[in-house]
Amino acid sequence: MPDIAILVKKWWKQILFTVLLSLLAVGVITFMKPRQYMSVTTAVPASSYTSDKSRIFSENIEALYAALGDPDDLDRVLGTAKLDTVYLAVADQFNLFDHYKVKEKGDAARSKSASLLKKNTVVMKSEYGELKVKVWDTDKNLAPQLANAVLGQLQAIHTNLLSAGNQATLKALIERKEKMQQLSDSASAERNELIRSQLVTYEKMIGEYQLIIDSKPPALITVENAKPAIWPDRPRRMQIMVATAVLSLLFALLAAIVLERKK
């Protein structure tokens, strides 16, 4: 293997040319890209038992469960974050087809702007079991609004999912109560007394389920809302240029060694 010092002395012009050419090419591409600001909003999962009516109406049950959920509860949220539904709603809310200067019209513009938002968004679970929603945008004031809006959409979807079971139960209770009221009109006095007792029970249960539905217990608890960033986050031009210089230098040295051996 040739001595590196001798190799550099002999091939320094070619090595320098390779490094400068690489820096020029990467620099043009990097500096042409618009700078983007990152904003992050943080949330933790709420316990799924917050949607259980026994949590409110039974003191013993309430004491058994914590207000916060398990980090594994975030897996469902991460799955939902991959759906286009979340980003379509946010794109409509902020008219992102204008912000992104999308050339398409109608539904195509809506889909394209949602796709661009999704590309600039990362929803992840941190090592501490928190949900992090990161959004990059060229407008440092818009980025936090988008991050908070994405979290808001995820919140709404999973809050509705938690309430879905209670809503179905409430509907069944109301229907059953109406049927029993119809039966009471044609029932005997003794039977009617029993029906009235059951109706009182149904009235109580309907009130309890209605209360838990109206309270809309959250699926996620926001720990920190996103704020505007002071400095742009990407592209990280200095790091990219340094990495380019190092890699191009290594490539040039390797090429010089190969060429020297062929002589």
Side-chain angles (χ1 to χ4, degrees), residues 92-107:
D92 292 340
Q93 181 181 348
F94 290 91
N95 296 323
L96 291 182
F97 35 85
D98 289 334
H99 174 66
Y100 290 143
K101 296 180 174 59
V102 176
K103 295 180 180 179
E104 290 83 356
K105 300 296 181 182
D107 290 339

Side-chain angles (χ1 to χ4, degrees), residues 245-262:
V246 172
L247 292 175
S248 60
L249 177 60
L250 292 175
F251 172 79
L253 286 172
L254 180 60
I257 291 173
V258 173
L259 292 174
E260 189 68 23
R261 281 186 171 183
K262 287 184 178 181

Side-chain angles (χ1 to χ4, degrees), residues 1-256:
M1 183 175 179
D3 184 83
I4 295 297
I6 298 174
L7 188 70
V8 171
K9 185 176 180 180
K10 183 176 180 180
W11 293 87
W12 73 269
K13 292 183 180 179
Q14 293 87 340
I15 293 174
L16 181 61
F17 175 77
T18 301
V19 173
L20 292 177
L21 183 62
S22 300
L23 287 173
L24 178 63
V26 173
V28 169
I29 296 172
T30 302
F31 282 86
M32 284 182 63
K33 287 185 176 181
R35 309 209 75 174
Q36 293 183 320
Y37 298 83
M38 181 185 71
S39 289
V40 184
T41 183
T42 305
V44 293
S47 173
S48 58
Y49 292 101
T50 55
S51 61
D52 188 346
K53 76 179 185 66
S54 61
R55 185 186 67 86
I56 295 178
F57 299 103
S58 175
E59 294 182 359
N60 294 331
I61 294 294
E62 184 178 7
L64 294 177
Y65 302 107
L68 298 181
D70 191 271
D72 291 337
D73 294 334
L74 293 179
D75 292 339
R76 292 187 296 271
V77 180
L78 295 177
T80 306
K82 296 179 181 179
L83 302 177
D84 292 338
T85 305
V86 174
Y87 306 97
L88 286 168
V90 176
D92 292 340
Q93 181 181 348
F94 290 91
N95 296 323
L96 291 182
F97 35 85
D98 289 334
H99 174 66
Y100 290 143
K101 296 180 174 59
V102 176
K103 295 180 180 179
E104 290 83 356
K105 300 296 181 182
D107 290 339
R110 184 169 176 258
S111 298
K112 180 68 176 295
S113 58
S115 177
L116 290 171
L117 173 62
K118 187 176 182 180
K119 182 180 178 182
N120 291 323
T121 302
V122 171
V123 181
M124 58 176 287
K125 180 167 63 175
S126 75
E127 57 183 319
Y128 300 107
E130 299 170 322
L131 182 72
K132 297 279 187 180
V133 179
K134 301 180 180 181
V135 174
W136 286 264
D137 198 85
T138 54
D139 186 340
K140 68 177 181 179
N141 294 314
L142 180 60
Q145 297 179 54
L146 294 176
N148 292 331
V150 170
L151 179 62
Q153 288 296 322
L154 294 172
Q155 173 77 275
I157 290 172
H158 285 273
T159 295
N160 290 335
L161 287 175
L162 287 177
S163 298
N166 289 330
Q167 290 172 347
T169 303
L170 176 62
K171 181 180 178 182
L173 286 170
I174 293 174
E175 291 175 352
R176 181 60 180 165
K177 174 191 168 186
E178 292 174 350
K179 289 180 180 179
M180 295 193 70
Q181 285 175 332
Q182 294 173 1
L183 288 174
S184 67
D185 297 336
S186 57
S188 61
E190 182 179 350
R191 175 70 173 166
N192 203 17
E193 184 66 26
L194 178 60
I195 291 175
R196 281 200 298 269
S197 175
Q198 291 178 331
L199 284 173
V200 171
T201 302
Y202 277 113
E203 284 284 358
K204 179 183 177 183
M205 293 178 67
I206 288 171
E208 290 175 351
Y209 274 98
Q210 189 64 61
L211 176 61
I212 196 67
I213 290 172
D214 291 342
S215 66
K216 288 188 177 297
L220 298 168
I221 301 173
T222 302
V223 175
E224 183 178 52
N225 286 316
K227 301 182 291 295
I230 299 175
W231 307 104
D233 182 69
R234 66 183 192 188
R236 299 183 177 181
R237 294 170 177 170
M238 185 58 67
Q239 292 91 325
I240 291 173
M241 298 302 289
V242 170
T244 299
V246 172
L247 292 175
S248 60
L249 177 60
L250 292 175
F251 172 79
L253 286 172
L254 180 60

